[in-house]
Amino acid sequence: MIKFERKDTQKAQCAIEALQNAKMRKSSYNTKEVNEALIEMFYGKCYICENKEATSYQIEHLTSHHENIDLKYDWNNLLWSCAHCNNTKLAKYEPILDCTKRDVDELIAFRKTGYFGTDEQLQFEALSTEEEVLNTIQLLQDVYYGTTPQKKIEAKVIRKKLRKELHDFKDSVREYQEAEGEEKEDLLFLIKKELKSSSAFTAFKRWLIRDNGEYYPELAVLLKNN
């Protein structure tokens, strides 16, 4: 979970207009324009788990609207979520961090420890005692490990995708350390791309660099530009 910028793009403007029309007609906020704008804003990935390969996505309300018409159609209250995360969150963890306003990965440390079987664990460390931070950590814990038999199966699939992404990212960093010349430049370009908001599971990748900044100081600098 990282920060996403709510930019004033053409698609965002179309989404806002569609929401205003839907609000007047009391029709669904789930319009083509809203979906397209959210996909653009969140780079096609779930804002909570950061998986880019989910098979089902939904429009998520940061603050549950409970039929409050203003919250229901408020563009600033809408986010892009996979079905697993949306159905886990519901209204149980409010308030959580608003990832369009706060740098989540600077308030929470995202780590994967261990390598095999039961030794492998995802850890979310609070770097602030704010209620929103603590609630977000509980949500992340439940999202990545599941709260029901079915959701535990779904969470296992997400963790498998996360494991592969981190494995490939670690390989790129190791190769970068040993490379020279043009190859090193190519790997640096790849690493920069993986640390951007558009990458899958970005928060975990950024924390791999943060935790190893003494070994890769030139890569740690990249985090200031993302």
Side-chain angles (χ1 to χ4, degrees):
M1 196 171 178
I2 56 171
K3 184 178 181 181
F4 295 89
E5 189 174 352
R6 203 179 283 275
K7 298 178 181 178
D8 184 26
T9 65
Q10 183 64 43
K11 288 184 178 180
Q13 292 173 8
C14 290
I16 292 170
E17 183 178 351
L19 287 167
Q20 290 172 343
N21 292 334
K23 183 178 180 180
M24 288 189 293
R25 297 193 304 267
K26 296 184 179 180
S27 58
S28 175
Y29 54 81
N30 191 1
T31 70
K32 175 177 178 289
E33 294 83 1
V34 173
N35 278 274
E36 288 181 349
L38 288 174
I39 290 171
E40 176 187 54
M41 177 180 168
F42 291 96
Y43 305 101
K45 69 176 180 179
C46 173
Y47 85 97
I48 298 176
C49 72
E50 293 198 83
N51 184 13
K52 297 190 75 169
E53 298 181 12
T55 57
S56 179
Y57 287 97
Q58 298 174 355
I59 296 174
E60 214 291 281
H61 287 82
L62 177 68
T63 301
S64 300
H65 59 79
H66 299 296
E67 294 307 318
N68 177 313
I69 195 166
D70 293 324
L71 285 175
K72 188 175 183 179
Y73 296 97
D74 182 3
W75 167 245
N76 293 311
N77 194 38
L78 302 184
L79 304 101
W80 190 245
S81 171
C82 70
H84 169 78
C85 289
N86 191 27
N87 293 330
T88 297
K89 177 179 173 286
L90 300 176
K92 296 188 294 183
Y93 305 87
E94 296 177 0
I96 65 167
L97 290 168
D98 183 347
C99 67
T100 68
K101 297 178 179 178
R102 309 287 302 276
D103 289 298
V104 181
D105 63 307
E106 293 182 5
L107 296 165
I108 299 172
F110 291 72
R111 298 184 176 103
K112 185 179 80 68
T113 63
Y115 296 96
F116 302 106
T118 56
D119 291 332
E120 187 176 68
Q121 291 291 326
L122 302 184
Q123 297 179 347
F124 308 98
E125 178 187 351
L127 305 179
S128 165
T129 57
E130 295 175 64
E131 180 184 11
E132 290 88 347
V133 171
L134 301 180
N135 288 345
T136 302
I137 285 177
Q138 185 59 60
L139 171 60
L140 290 166
Q141 184 70 31
D142 290 346
V143 157
Y144 280 104
Y145 283 96
T147 54
T148 67
Q150 183 182 36
K151 291 196 176 304
K152 288 178 180 178
I153 294 172
E154 294 171 356
K156 186 176 180 180
V157 173
I158 295 173
R159 294 199 308 275
K160 183 177 180 180
K161 293 181 183 298
L162 168 61
R163 186 182 304 115
K164 184 179 185 306
E165 281 280 338
L166 292 184
H167 178 272
D168 292 345
F169 181 68
K170 288 178 181 178
D171 278 351
S172 295
V173 173
R174 292 189 189 100
E175 290 174 13
Y176 168 80
Q177 189 178 29
E178 299 174 354
E180 296 179 356
E182 187 174 336
E183 181 186 8
K184 196 175 188 72
E185 291 180 8
D186 290 343
L187 286 165
L188 180 60
F189 177 82
L190 175 62
I191 292 169
K192 284 182 178 179
K193 183 178 178 182
E194 292 301 310
L195 294 174
K196 290 185 177 296
S197 302
S198 55
S199 170
F201 307 110
T202 316
F204 286 93
K205 294 172 182 174
R206 289 178 179 176
W207 271 96
L208 275 171
I209 299 300
R210 286 191 178 102
D211 284 336
N212 294 280
E214 61 183 296
Y215 304 110
Y216 310 109
E218 69 277 26
L219 298 183
V221 172
L222 299 177
L223 297 176
K224 299 178 181 180
N225 301 319
N226 288 289

